[in-house]
Amino acid sequence: YFVSDTVLKERLDPETLESLGLIKQAQQFNQKIVKIKTKLFYKQQKFNLLREENEGYAKLITELGQDLSGNITSHLILENIKSLIGCFNLDPNRVLDIILEVYECRSDQDEFFIPLIKSYMCEPQTLCHILGFKFKFHQEPNGETPSSLYHVAAALLQHNLIELEDLYVHLLPLDPFILEEHKKEITEAKQIARKLTMVLVPSEKPDEKEKEKEKEEEKNEKPPDNQKLGLLEALLKIGDWHHAQSIMDQMPSFYATSHKSIAVALCQLLHLTVEPLYRRAGVPKGAKGGLMRPLRNRRAPRPAETFDELRKEVFSMLCYLGPHLSHDAILFAKIVRLGKGFMKEFQNESKQDDKEKMDTLLSCFLSIADQVLLPSLTLMDCNACMSEELWGLFKLFPYQHRYRLYGQWKNETYNSHPLLVKVKAQTVDRAKYIMKRLTKENVKPSGRQIGKLSHSNPTILFDYILSQIQWYDNLITPVVDSLKYLTSLNYDVLAYCIIEALANPEKEKMKHDDTTISAWLQSLASLCGAVFRKYPIELAGLLQYVTNQLKAGKSFDLLILKEVVQKMAGIEITDEMTIEQLEAMTGGEQLKAEGGYFGQIRNTKKSSQRLKDALLDHELALPICLLMAQQRNGVVFLEGGEKHLKLVGKLYDQCHDTLVQFGGFLASNLSTEDYIKRVPSVDILCNQFHTPHDAAFFLSRPMYAHQILSKYDELKKAEKGNRQQQKVHKYITACELVMTPVHEAVVSLHPPKVWDDIRPQFYATFWSLTMYDLAVPHNAYDREVNKLRLQMKAIDENPEMPPNKKKKEKERCTVLQDKLLEEEKKQLEHVQRVLHRLKLEKDNWLLAKSTKNETITKFLQLCIFPRCIFSAIDAVYCARFVELVHQQKTPNFCTLLCYDRVFSDIIYTVASCTENEARRYGRFLCCMLETVTRWHSDRAIYEKECGNYPGFLTILRATGFDGGNKADQLDYENFRHVVHKWHYKLTKASVHCLETGEYTHIRNILIVLTKILHWYPKVLNLGQALERRVHKICQEEKEKRPDLYALAMGYSGQLKSRKPYMVPENEFHHKEQPVRSATPANLQNGPGSAGKTAATATNAGKPEECATEETDKSKEKSQGTVKAPSKTNTLTTKVTTSNGNSAPNSTKAVKEKEDKEKSGKEKNKERKEKTPASTPEAKVTGKEKPKEERPGKDDKAREAKEKTPKADKEKEKLKKEEKPSKEDKLKVSGNTEFKSSADKEPSKERDVAKEAKVKEMSKGEKAAVTGSLKSPVPRSETSESEREQKRRKLDTHSSPSHSSTVKVSIA
């Protein structure tokens, strides 16, 4: 054969082979082939069940379970396994399964089994399927997957023997189910929170209980294990962070770590990772700490050696851990200490390259604090130590960073996790429980409860407490006392919460009536003051907040600064000071502290030091001062447009008072160097910073005092001399050295024309001195010393006090007494030096290049008026300074004119004041009146203090005071007339203000009148007139404006109590005026006299005849705008009766009029018979004489006549006539002298006749206006009476508020 049978059988089909005879039957052959193929390809020779080949599997298990401590390697075992498979036909997959089972049982033998599995199995997919099958076996209900299986899977994942994606699909529960569960948890947490804040109706409660039972039953059916979390835990335990992170990324935030086992495993991994760095940079001095054994696993995260290495894995691990770091307080402390270590390095770092790295690390630590540390603290149960530990890190951050963290913590963190939502609700619930029971009596136990609650959740607790305080201000004291158990971190959080509450945009800072500041803001301000004083809380944030509000043009929040300074520094600002307190405030610092404030100031040293440090460290002292000074006008011109006038006044006062208080604090607490370094010169303050002049000098004044004293001490040390004269000389030299630059600086503050009348030296002297420099309050010192002596006596007599305490108290009193006496002695020496300096300076103070009147105007305008309303002490200072300038016999200073201008024109000043300014202005007038009343009370005092002084000259020569001519002086009786005229002017102005109906006018004049009550009114009829008018205000305002009613009632009551001290007019000054050899003038008897026949002729007293006609003209110009409406008002107002009511409105008033007309006529006749120069009893309210009181044709005719152009023509004519008359006076004599009353009497009689003819043109109040100069050259009686008549016509047209000033003529 060419081809063998075998080949043919392989290649040819069975039928062909059968035909060839190679096989017997084809069918049989086919069956045989199938059998062979089945045997070859489909019959299994391997055994995959233990019972099929138990010997082989038994040997395999023995092989894998043997002791592996010797020289046995995975390679050797693998060879044995192969032999067993071959020998016993073991199924390789089953062998692999058994290897994994043994590995599970011996999970500590990773180093043996991992290489074995890697060598045995090259297909990851098969291995993954076997593992998946194992996991599915445990997925039955109530099934529990063994931890060893998780460990095996984790180890295989870590060594990349399987892929996570392949295994993940075999694990339960599925991701959508996890997400749904998470949402369910959040919903449940919110429901719990809602339940805690809701008030349940009793009928609803049983249903709720049933629902809770159902939920508990559901929970009893335990779902299968969460295999994904089990695997995650195993991965974390072996240090496979990469795969663990991948699993956590598949789940909602913090879902994995919310399970304690996961969180603890991650914490353990973090411990190991940060250990080396913690040992180097985090362990506190003296602490040892337990060493951590590192993982033997080389694939675990590498331990961090430097801060930069923390960025690799530690920070991300912490972020995944989140609030659940709370499970490991030790790790919490380690992270915080690492933060502290980093901050030390950060603060010392100077290189630019490293700085960028450090900034990145700083932002990382801040993120960790935000996302991990603070939320973890929330979940820690009352751990004060952790709170203090965290503060150790936080205090190294600037307050801006800290407050940002607190803001996130309070407003966002609590919504990020269901557990935190529950904690928040529980905290609020507990806070409510505590606050409901908090009283003054149980402060201590309640405080402990608040402390415990605050250690973990301060933001939520304080938010609730502050909300309660805003509603109930009586909680402030118990709350402040109960906060003593807080940690440092909690105090800082409290500061933030207060600022956030203050800045709440949803809260209105005004009440609904828009006239007062809201109660919630006042309550928070009070809380601020009390809390910041009592506890060591950082002030920077609060001060910066106030500064920012001022920058934004908002002045409401100055209330906070005011309270903080008052409580922390003990500097109280009030215009309701008693006379004794005001007196004490003019002394030294010790006297101020002891007697100057309502509350006894104790133990403010530490708190004021903290406030000072906060201001200096953050450079806020000067900016706050400047912003407040600028904001005063801003309140009126920027904020005030839409606000109620009353509120604008309050805000202005608040701004001003806070400036005074804050400036006082800086002056008394800053060292000389600090103060001088921070406060620029006065010209820079005014010109560059646009600070008002009064505020600029207020800030600069302490600086000048410091500089003068330090310079004086230098000079004393340089040249030792104990003689008093030498000391005074050195003091004056020191003043010159310090003040000369100031004199030069102030020149730029005003136009050059100003300095024609007053010199810069005088201006600077006035603004730089204080009451401390002018007088020693001996009475105040004596009062306080006596108090201390009485205290010591009481201590001695107290038998209950322990001896030790007695000794301490007595020592304290003795030390205080010595300090006060020393301070008094020191002030006395200082005042003597200052007065000596002023005596030397006074001759160069006033130049008077224009007129004396201009000089006084500028003095009042630029010095007195701005400063007298600055503060209560400044008001007293201004009055005393005027008196001092008079006493020093200052050339070119007319005291009489100065006082006249002050008392004559108070309407406009009063009307333009705020409430507090009105109080100060009233105090100023009170002091001025006190001086005037003293001079008025006794001829001897007058002669001694005014008799031969240039200020009381009635003739003012350009050459100054020669002091030789006694006739040029105002005598005592005429001075009494002048004082009466001033009282009348005050009455007229007061009545005018009370009659306007304007809120500000009425309020301010009542405040002023209350302040000057001790010295005014002194004349009975003036007091009665005021009483009637005030009574009418009480009736009118009772329902409309309660605050005005309260003021008016208060004043009315006090006025009645002063009635016994009032005197009739003829006792206040002699109506029959004395005739002197030097032809003295007659002075008007009183305002609004009933018999006006002689009033206008005798109108001019001595001071009225010592001013030029220019005064009236200049005043008319300056008051022109105000006059017009006042004039119309006067002309259209009904004639009022003496009880203050309008005639048409009261039948009683008409009866009174008729009675008074009769009595008035009778009095007229009697007085004319006695002397034409005298006037009858004055009717003060500026009303007509009896004939004119009848509203009839005469009135109408007069009013019509006044309104006609004819009256205007007469005015012009009068002006023309006045000019030549003035010239005549100047030509005839260089001096102005007074005409005798004898010369005037005939003209007065003619005046009466003329007055009847012109239908009584002159009203009573107008007749009180001062007369003009009388020429020493006798004129005809007719021309004299004509001039007087025309002057009365002019007076008729003047405003009721217009008051003529003292008139001066210059030779």
Side-chain angles (χ1 to χ4, degrees):
Y1 300 105
F2 292 102
V3 180
S4 66
D5 292 349
T6 309
V7 174
L8 290 170
K9 284 177 184 178
E10 283 177 5
R11 305 292 171 90
L12 298 176
D13 58 273
E15 287 78 11
T16 309
L17 289 171
E18 188 182 357
S19 61
L20 290 173
L22 292 173
I23 59 173
K24 291 177 182 179
Q25 288 180 350
Q27 187 180 357
Q28 196 178 4
F29 184 75
N30 279 336
Q31 287 173 352
K32 194 177 179 180
I33 288 171
V34 168
K35 283 180 182 178
I36 291 166
K37 281 187 177 179
T38 302
K39 190 178 179 182
L40 281 172
F41 296 110
Y42 297 103
K43 192 171 181 182
Q44 190 173 345
Q45 295 282 324
K46 302 176 214 134
F47 301 102
N48 61 359
L49 296 176
L50 297 181
R51 60 187 172 76
E52 289 175 344
E53 188 48 74
N54 50 17
E55 186 187 348
Y57 286 114
K59 288 187 181 293
L60 174 65
I61 290 167
T62 307
E63 194 70 31
L64 291 170
Q66 64 183 299
D67 183 16
L68 303 172
S69 58
N71 295 324
I72 298 165
T73 61
S74 59
H75 180 71
L76 187 63
I77 297 294
L78 181 60
E79 291 302 317
N80 293 344
I81 289 170
K82 283 178 184 178
S83 303
L84 288 170
I85 289 169
C87 180
F88 295 101
N89 289 326
L90 303 179
D91 180 26
N93 291 333
R94 186 63 177 131
V95 171
L96 178 59
D97 180 47
I98 287 171
I99 292 172
L100 291 174
E101 286 286 342
V102 176
Y103 184 16
E104 267 189 72
C105 297
R106 305 184 72 180
S107 55
D108 56 331
Q109 299 292 335
D110 292 332
E111 291 174 1
F112 171 78
F113 283 98
I114 294 297
L116 177 64
I117 294 168
K118 196 181 280 187
S119 308
Y120 178 82
M121 190 71 216
C122 55
E123 274 294 323
Q125 209 68 20
T126 310
L127 183 56
C128 204
H129 281 302
I130 291 171
L131 271 176
F133 178 77
K134 282 180 177 291
F135 277 110
K136 276 183 183 172
F137 177 75
H138 297 290
Q139 287 172 0
E140 301 295 325
N142 297 326
E144 190 173 336
T145 310
S147 59
S148 53
L149 179 58
Y150 291 130
H151 176 80
V152 168
L156 295 174
L157 278 169
Q158 189 180 28
H159 290 85
N160 299 320
L161 294 176
I162 55 174
E163 293 297 325
L164 179 61
E165 293 78 11
D166 297 336
L167 181 62
Y168 197 74
V169 295
H170 295 287
L171 306 177
L172 285 184
L174 299 173
D175 287 350
F177 179 80
I178 289 174
L179 195 60
E180 191 181 328
E181 187 188 350
H182 180 67
K183 285 179 181 174
K184 192 177 173 185
E185 277 181 15
I186 290 175
T187 310
E188 281 177 12
K190 286 180 179 174
Q191 282 176 349
I192 290 168
R194 198 158 45 249
K195 277 181 197 171
L196 287 170
T197 53
M198 271 169 46
V199 178
L200 291 175
V201 181
S203 60
E204 293 176 8
K205 287 179 183 175
D207 299 336
E208 294 294 329
K209 284 179 182 176
E210 283 172 20
K211 286 180 184 176
E212 283 174 13
K213 281 180 183 176
E214 285 172 16
K215 282 181 184 175
E216 282 174 12
E217 285 170 11
E218 284 174 15
K219 284 179 184 175
N220 289 337
E221 291 181 15
K222 193 178 175 185
D225 276 354
N226 190 323
Q227 293 175 331
K228 291 176 178 176
L229 292 179
L231 177 60
L232 175 59
E233 183 185 350
L235 286 166
L236 290 170
K237 282 182 175 175
I238 65 168
D240 188 356
W241 171 242
H242 174 68
H243 286 102
Q245 191 176 2
S246 301
I247 293 175
M248 284 197 273
D249 286 339
Q250 307 286 329
M251 300 176 182
S253 299
F254 308 125
Y255 173 80
T257 48
S258 64
H259 296 77
K260 185 176 180 180
S261 56
I262 306 284
V264 170
L266 185 50
C267 287
Q268 192 60 30
L269 182 59
L270 276 162
H271 269 297
L272 297 168
T273 312
V274 301
E275 181 66 15
L277 181 59
Y278 175 70
R279 289 288 147 206
R280 178 177 73 80
V283 179
K285 285 180 183 176
K288 293 179 182 177
L291 287 167
M292 303 285 294
R293 289 183 181 177
L295 285 170
R296 288 179 293 172
N297 189 343
R298 292 179 184 176
R299 291 169 183 265
R302 186 182 166 197
E305 301 282 347
T306 64
F307 286 111
D308 199 37
E309 288 176 12
L310 292 176
R311 289 168 56 194
K312 289 178 185 174
E313 281 153 347
V314 172
F315 287 148
S316 62
M317 284 185 205
L318 285 168
C319 289
Y320 279 101
L321 187 58
H324 304 288
L325 179 59
S326 57
H327 292 298
D328 193 338
I330 294 173
L331 180 61
F332 184 99
K334 283 185 177 180
I335 300 299
V336 170
R337 287 170 183 175
L338 283 173
K340 284 194 270 189
F342 165 74
M343 286 306 294
K344 284 176 187 171
E345 285 191 18
F346 178 78
Q347 287 164 356
N348 298 331
E349 196 55 60
S350 57
K351 293 177 186 175
Q352 190 61 36
D353 297 341
D354 291 343
K355 189 144 181 58
E356 287 177 14
K357 278 185 191 175
M358 286 293 193
D359 286 340
T360 311
L361 277 169
L362 176 63
S363 63
C364 290
F365 269 107
L366 288 170
S367 299
I368 294 304
D370 175 27
Q371 296 170 34
V372 183
L373 298 177
L374 289 173
S376 299
L377 188 65
T378 296
L379 296 178
M380 284 184 179
D381 188 25
C382 182
N383 197 330
C385 300
M386 287 301 104
S387 180
E388 284 295 346
E389 193 74 51
L390 189 57
W391 174 244
L393 169 62
F394 274 26
K395 70 182 178 185
L396 302 173
F397 296 144
Y399 76 89
Q400 294 93 332
H401 291 349
R402 294 202 309 272
Y403 286 4
R404 175 78 185 275
L405 292 170
Y406 301 150
Q408 293 280 106
W409 188 15
K410 179 175 178 288
N411 301 314
E412 293 180 24
T413 302
Y414 282 96
N415 303 322
S416 65
H417 194 280
L419 197 55
L420 293 172
V421 173
K422 285 181 194 172
V423 168
K424 180 179 179 179
Q426 289 162 0
T427 305
V428 172
D429 189 51
R430 184 67 183 157
K432 284 180 182 175
Y433 176 85
I434 296 167
M435 290 302 290
K436 278 178 190 171
R437 290 155 182 79
L438 177 64
T439 61
K440 285 182 182 177
E441 288 70 37
N442 67 358
V443 159
K444 212 166 188 179
S446 296
R448 288 196 176 107
Q449 290 177 312
I450 286 172
K452 283 179 182 177
L453 202 55
S454 71
H455 297 332
S456 304
N457 298 281
T459 53
I460 305 303
L461 172 66
F462 296 145
D463 196 42
Y464 181 75
I465 289 175
L466 292 174
S467 70
Q468 292 297 294
I469 282 172
Q470 288 171 51
W471 283 105
Y472 312 108
D473 58 358
N474 59 343
L475 277 174
I476 292 172
T477 307
V479 163
V480 170
D481 291 341
S482 68
L483 295 176
K484 58 182 168 185
Y485 299 105
L486 268 55
T487 62
S488 305
L489 177 67
N490 296 346
Y491 285 128
D492 202 47
V493 172
L494 177 60
Y496 166 76
C497 289
I498 289 172
I499 294 168
E500 192 186 53
L502 290 168
N504 187 351
E506 293 170 12
K507 286 263 193 182
E508 280 294 329
K509 295 193 175 181
M510 289 181 292
K511 286 185 180 173
H512 295 301
D513 58 3
D514 284 348
T515 58
T516 43
I517 294 171
S518 293
W520 70 267
L521 184 59
Q522 292 173 351
S523 299
L524 281 180
S526 299
L527 178 77
C528 279
V531 164
F532 282 93
R533 181 192 185 280
K534 190 163 187 177
Y535 303 109
I537 307 174
E538 189 177 333
L539 286 148
L542 189 73
L543 294 171
Q544 188 64 57
Y545 168 73
V546 173
T547 309
N548 293 345
Q549 291 293 91
L550 281 172
K551 275 186 197 171
K554 296 173 186 173
S555 52
F556 288 103
D557 297 283
L558 278 174
L559 185 62
I560 302 145
L561 184 64
K562 186 179 178 183
E563 284 289 335
V564 168
V565 175
Q566 181 174 327
K567 297 276 174 32
M568 293 189 73
I571 295 174
E572 203 175 328
I573 289 294
T574 175
D575 283 297
E576 301 300 333
M577 281 179 163
T578 62
I579 300 295
E580 289 78 14
Q581 284 175 326
L582 202 59
E583 198 178 7
M585 292 301 284
T586 62
E589 291 299 324
Q590 198 66 49
L591 183 62
K592 282 183 194 175
E594 290 301 311
Y597 302 115
F598 283 107
Q600 195 68 8
I601 307 305
R602 291 269 181 258
N603 305 324
T604 56
K605 194 173 181 182
K606 286 182 182 176
S607 55
S608 57
Q609 183 66 33
R610 281 196 294 116
L611 180 57
K612 183 188 92 169
D613 291 343
L615 288 165
L616 296 186
D617 292 346
H618 296 271
E619 295 293 339
L620 287 173
L622 184 64
I624 289 177
C625 282
L626 296 179
L627 285 165
M628 278 193 282
Q630 292 163 3
Q631 186 61 23
R632 282 193 310 170
N633 292 334
V635 166
V636 180
F637 298 108
L638 300 177
E639 284 188 83
E642 298 166 6
K643 292 190 176 76
H644 193 283
L645 186 63
K646 186 176 173 184
L647 179 66
V648 172
K650 281 197 172 178
L651 289 176
Y652 184 95
D653 280 339
Q654 180 180 287
C655 189
H656 178 84
D657 290 350
T658 313
L659 171 65
V660 173
Q661 180 195 34
F662 192 71
F665 166 74
L666 294 180
S668 59
N669 284 273
L670 262 62
S671 66
T672 313
E673 294 74 23
D674 282 335
Y675 201 93
I676 293 168
K677 189 166 69 177
R678 280 165 177 80
V679 180
S681 64
V682 73
D683 52 333
I684 293 172
L685 280 172
C686 294
N687 299 332
Q688 286 185 24
F689 294 110
H690 308 290
T691 312
H693 296 169
D694 54 352
F697 276 106
F698 167 70
L699 294 174
S700 305
R701 208 173 292 136
M703 184 164 66
Y704 302 146
H706 285 322
Q707 286 175 323
I708 289 170
L709 281 176
S710 56
K711 188 64 74 176
Y712 174 54
D713 290 338
E714 275 179 35
L715 291 169
K716 277 202 299 186
K717 285 176 187 174
E719 189 182 329
K720 290 178 183 176
N722 294 323
R723 280 167 51 193
Q724 190 63 32
Q725 282 185 338
Q726 286 180 333
K727 285 183 179 178
V728 170
H729 178 69
K730 284 169 189 169
Y731 179 76
I732 292 164
T733 310
C735 290
E736 284 173 3
L737 290 169
V738 172
M739 295 306 290
T740 304
V742 181
H743 300 158
E744 293 165 5
V746 297
V747 173
S748 64
L749 304 187
H750 296 292
K753 194 181 176 187
V754 168
W755 309 119
D756 290 347
D757 297 300
I758 59 175
R759 287 193 62 190
Q761 185 188 20
F762 176 67
Y763 182 77
T765 300
F766 171 83
W767 281 103
S768 62
L769 295 178
T770 61
M771 270 306 292
Y772 179 83
D773 304 308
L774 299 189
V776 183
H778 293 295
N779 291 340
Y781 279 111
D782 294 344
R783 201 163 41 243
E784 293 307 317
V785 168
N786 288 334
K787 272 187 201 173
L788 289 168
R789 283 175 184 156
L790 287 171
Q791 275 183 33
M792 288 161 75
K793 193 178 177 185
I795 290 164
D796 281 334
E797 291 170 0
N798 187 353
E800 295 174 7
M801 191 180 283
N804 288 345
K805 196 174 181 186
K806 267 190 186 182
K807 190 180 176 185
K808 278 184 184 176
E809 284 296 307
K810 282 181 75 176
E811 278 176 10
R812 183 184 67 80
C813 292
T814 311
V815 168
L816 265 178
Q817 186 178 318
D818 293 344
K819 279 183 181 176
L820 284 168
L821 293 170
E822 181 60 33
E823 193 174 73
E824 183 181 15
K825 184 183 172 187
K826 192 177 173 184
Q827 188 179 357
L828 183 63
E829 289 174 4
H830 175 74
V831 168
Q832 287 170 351
R833 289 196 296 267
V834 171
L835 292 177
H836 192 84
R837 165 196 160 193
L838 298 182
K839 197 172 181 181
L840 295 175
E841 284 182 8
K842 69 177 171 65
D843 294 336
N844 299 319
W845 276 351
L846 304 172
L847 298 173
K849 288 185 181 174
S850 48
T851 62
K852 296 291 159 54
N853 184 38
E854 279 296 311
T855 305
I856 294 298
T857 301
K858 282 176 185 154
F859 174 55
L860 293 175
Q861 182 186 347
L862 302 178
C863 299
I864 295 294
F865 286 143
R867 189 162 179 185
C868 76
I869 57 171
F870 196 83
S871 70
I873 298 167
D874 283 319
V876 177
Y877 169 81
C878 288
R880 294 289 171 256
F881 190 84
V882 171
E883 192 182 346
L884 179 71
V885 173
H886 162 74
Q887 287 169 353
Q888 295 276 11
K889 298 189 178 182
T890 306
N892 300 321
F893 183 78
C894 183
T895 312
L896 212 49
L897 187 54
C898 181
Y899 277 95
D900 189 74
R901 294 289 293 279
V902 167
F903 294 130
S904 296
D905 298 316
I906 72 162
I907 292 173
Y908 310 119
T909 321
V910 166
S912 63
C913 284
T914 64
E915 189 174 350
N916 287 0
E917 285 178 344
R919 289 196 182 95
R920 295 174 208 131
Y921 185 58
R923 209 179 278 281
F924 165 67
L925 289 178
C926 178
C927 292
M928 295 290 274
L929 280 167
E930 182 186 355
T931 307
V932 167
T933 309
R934 189 175 78 247
W935 291 338
H936 174 275
S937 64
D938 189 355
R939 183 186 290 274
I941 293 172
Y942 178 80
E943 292 298 337
K944 182 184 174 186
E945 296 187 13
C946 310
N948 200 26
Y949 282 70
F952 278 75
L953 270 178
T954 54
I955 296 168
L956 301 176
R957 300 183 182 84
T959 53
F961 174 60
D962 56 10
N965 193 351
K966 183 72 178 171
D968 292 344
Q969 295 292 124
L970 183 73
D971 67 14
Y972 178 61
E973 276 312 321
N974 272 325
F975 174 70
R976 283 162 68 87
H977 296 322
V978 173
V979 175
H980 179 266
K981 186 202 80 166
W982 290 339
H983 276 245
Y984 162 73
K985 296 272 187 175
L986 288 171
T987 309
K988 189 169 76 167
S990 302
V991 169
H992 173 78
C993 288
L994 292 169
E995 285 177 341
T996 56
E998 286 281 338
Y999 173 83
T1000 313
H1001 288 60
I1002 297 169
R1003 181 197 67 193
N1004 288 359
I1005 198 65
L1006 285 171
I1007 290 169
V1008 169
L1009 286 170
T1010 307
K1011 287 288 180 191
I1012 62 175
L1013 187 61
H1014 194 69
W1015 309 109
Y1016 168 86
K1018 286 283 189 184
V1019 184
L1020 192 59
N1021 58 347
L1022 303 185
Q1024 287 167 344
L1026 271 179
E1027 192 176 353
R1028 286 192 294 272
R1029 193 68 206 119
V1030 171
H1031 179 66
K1032 189 180 177 187
I1033 291 285
C1034 291
Q1035 290 175 331
E1036 289 172 353
E1037 302 296 344
K1038 188 168 185 178
E1039 302 300 327
K1040 288 195 288 182
R1041 296 181 280 199
D1043 50 346
L1044 289 185
Y1045 170 71
L1047 271 175
M1049 284 298 289
Y1051 177 67
S1052 178
Q1054 291 181 63
L1055 186 61
K1056 282 173 186 168
S1057 70
R1058 294 292 304 172
K1059 254 189 176 177
Y1061 302 102
M1062 294 183 198
V1063 296
E1065 187 185 341
N1066 56 0
E1067 287 184 30
F1068 193 78
H1069 70 131
H1070 293 303
K1071 289 185 174 182
E1072 294 177 13
Q1073 300 186 12
V1075 179
R1076 293 195 319 173
S1077 58
T1079 66
N1082 298 325
L1083 201 74
Q1084 177 201 327
N1085 294 316
S1089 301
K1092 286 292 187 275
T1093 51
T1096 42
T1098 59
N1099 194 15
K1102 288 273 180 181
E1104 293 168 302
E1105 295 176 346
C1106 64
T1108 57
E1109 299 292 331
E1110 291 168 26
T1111 315
D1112 262 356
K1113 289 175 189 175
S1114 63
K1115 186 176 283 189
E1116 281 167 16
K1117 284 177 189 173
S1118 66
Q1119 295 173 349
T1121 51
V1122 188
K1123 270 189 187 180
S1126 304
K1127 178 175 159 185
T1128 343
N1129 190 23
T1130 312
L1131 295 175
T1132 54
T1133 307
K1134 300 282 183 188
V1135 180
T1136 53
T1137 62
S1138 55
N1139 73 344
N1141 295 318
S1142 62
N1145 295 341
S1146 171
T1147 53
K1148 185 182 174 185
V1150 175
K1151 285 178 186 176
E1152 283 179 10
K1153 272 189 226 168
E1154 288 169 0
D1155 294 338
K1156 281 176 184 171
E1157 280 169 10
K1158 288 174 189 174
S1159 63
K1161 284 174 187 174
E1162 287 167 12
K1163 284 179 184 176
N1164 256 346
K1165 286 175 187 175
E1166 287 170 14
R1167 297 194 180 215
K1168 280 177 189 173
E1169 285 167 11
K1170 285 180 185 176
T1171 169
S1174 64
T1175 59
E1177 183 182 353
K1179 286 195 174 104
V1180 162
T1181 50
K1183 309 299 181 272
E1184 300 295 317
K1185 66 183 189 176
K1187 281 184 184 179
E1188 294 167 345
E1189 283 180 353
R1190 192 161 46 259
K1193 291 177 183 177
D1194 289 2
D1195 276 320
K1196 288 173 185 173
R1198 186 177 68 254
E1199 284 176 15
K1201 200 163 190 177
E1202 285 170 352
K1203 289 175 186 174
T1204 56
K1206 188 178 177 184
D1208 295 332
K1209 286 177 185 174
E1210 284 173 354
K1211 272 190 190 177
E1212 289 169 12
K1213 191 175 177 185
L1214 177 62
K1215 283 181 184 174
K1216 286 175 186 173
E1217 286 178 18
E1218 278 180 343
K1219 284 178 185 174
S1221 70
K1222 184 182 172 187
E1223 287 167 12
D1224 289 346
K1225 287 179 228 170
L1226 294 172
K1227 282 176 191 172
V1228 174
S1229 172
N1231 302 344
T1232 303
E1233 296 183 7
F1234 296 98
K1235 220 172 162 49
S1236 71
S1237 57
D1239 292 337
K1240 293 180 187 174
E1241 285 172 9
S1243 68
K1244 288 173 192 167
E1245 288 170 6
R1246 285 192 187 88
D1247 288 348
V1248 175
K1250 276 211 169 185
E1251 279 176 17
K1253 287 176 188 175
V1254 295
K1255 295 183 181 180
E1256 311 295 325
M1257 281 291 289
S1258 180
K1259 289 188 182 180
E1261 62 177 11
K1262 301 303 181 294
V1265 177
T1266 55
S1268 66
L1269 286 167
K1270 305 296 182 290
S1271 168
V1273 180
R1275 289 196 179 88
S1276 70
E1277 290 170 358
T1278 314
S1279 62
E1280 177 79 11
S1281 62
E1282 280 173 5
R1283 286 200 320 104
E1284 291 295 314
Q1285 182 62 45
K1286 281 170 183 163
R1287 173 153 296 142
R1288 278 198 296 281
K1289 286 179 185 176
L1290 178 63
D1291 286 343
T1292 308
H1293 288 278
S1294 66
S1295 157
S1297 62
H1298 175 65
S1299 307
S1300 297
T1301 55
V1302 178
K1303 294 177 184 171
V1304 180
S1305 176
I1306 296 177

